[in-house]
Amino acid sequence: HPHETGKDNGVKLGVIANGVSYHYALESLEKLGLPANILKIGVLNPMPEKMIADFLEPLDRVVVVEELFPYMENVITMVAKD
């Protein structure tokens, strides 16, 4: 079962999503039985870079789920490189 955000619970997969994509990600994780830490982004402008950086810290892999243009993915990639 997916985990909510914020804790280093030993799960090394993270999912970042917003809007309806968040619900699709939850449903997919549950169907696949994949444990993952999930960060739901509520506001895209400005992006919560500190919150994203803190979320990324304990993880080995992150999947960004969003519709159409990869706006969040681009910002998250920059945050991860810092």
Side-chain angles (χ1 to χ4, degrees):
H1 189 272
H3 302 281
E4 286 302 317
T5 64
K7 298 178 186 141
D8 184 3
N9 53 17
V11 175
K12 298 299 182 186
L13 172 65
V15 176
I16 302 176
N18 76 319
V20 71
S21 298
Y22 171 79
H23 298 287
Y24 293 145
L26 276 180
E27 182 180 339
S28 297
L29 289 168
E30 288 177 10
K31 283 184 177 182
L32 294 170
L34 289 174
N37 292 295
I38 303 167
L39 178 62
K40 181 179 182 182
I41 303 290
V43 178
L44 295 180
N45 191 8
M47 285 286 282
E49 292 184 21
K50 169 84 169 97
M51 181 173 65
I52 292 167
D54 291 345
F55 178 77
L56 295 175
E57 179 120 9
L59 303 175
D60 291 336
R61 292 179 183 231
V62 175
V63 177
V64 178
V65 182
E66 62 186 318
E67 294 185 62
L68 305 174
F69 186 73
Y71 175 73
M72 288 194 317
E73 180 182 353
N74 292 339
V75 172
I76 292 163
T77 300
M78 288 188 321
V79 170
K81 289 179 179 179
D82 284 347

